[in-house]
Amino acid sequence: QVQLVESGGGLVQPGGSLRLSCAASGSIFSINAMGWYRQVPGKERELVARRTAGGSTNYADSVKGRFTISRDNAKNTVYLQMNSLKPEDTAVYLCEVTVVTIVNYARVVRDYWGQGTQVTVSS
């Protein structure tokens, strides 16, 4: 099993900044990718930012230039630096990790999700 622990959410005024953290632990052979998604009621979950082990990144158009994803591979941790926050950034942010784990002595690829952390941008 793999566990994800998220932190860093909260209430911030428009134009402010937050940094989200997500630490992965458990039966991890290797991590293929880590990323952040967000969800609001009535809408589908959307990709915010994702980074692969090879260093490639993918950002939602709405956050390009404002958000930055980074990883500390030694700590199995991914960060999302969020600057110039807007009210429309308000959502539950969920960490996602794609890992290679061991099941019955076999390597398998699986996705795991964090519990989500609330980000509210309001004055």
Side-chain angles (χ1 to χ4, degrees):
Q1 283 291 319
V2 174
Q3 298 81 41
L4 304 180
V5 179
E6 299 156 310
S7 63
L11 175 64
V12 65
Q13 293 185 343
S17 298
L18 287 172
R19 190 177 79 154
L20 306 182
S21 300
C22 176
S25 62
S27 301
I28 300 171
F29 181 80
S30 63
I31 296 178
N32 290 348
M34 298 186 76
W36 292 93
Y37 295 72
R38 65 187 181 188
Q39 189 164 29
V40 299
K43 294 186 177 181
E44 293 186 0
R45 184 178 299 173
E46 69 169 342
L47 171 72
V48 177
R50 195 167 189 260
R51 190 182 192 278
T52 69
S56 64
T57 57
N58 188 22
Y59 291 93
D61 288 341
S62 61
V63 308
K64 288 180 179 178
R66 299 188 298 120
F67 292 8
T68 303
I69 189 170
S70 61
R71 287 178 62 183
D72 185 335
N73 292 332
K75 298 180 179 179
N76 289 337
T77 299
V78 64
Y79 305 93
L80 185 67
Q81 179 66 46
M82 304 186 293
N83 298 325
S84 302
L85 283 162
K86 304 174 181 179
E88 51 263 44
D89 294 319
T90 297
V92 174
Y93 284 71
L94 301 107
C95 179
E96 178 267 342
V97 58
T98 302
V99 306
V100 177
T101 188
I102 305 297
V103 178
N104 294 328
Y105 306 102
R107 297 181 181 89
V108 298
V109 178
R110 292 193 176 163
D111 290 338
Y112 291 88
W113 293 85
Q115 78 283 358
T117 184
Q118 177 71 45
V119 172
T120 302
V121 185
S122 177
S123 60

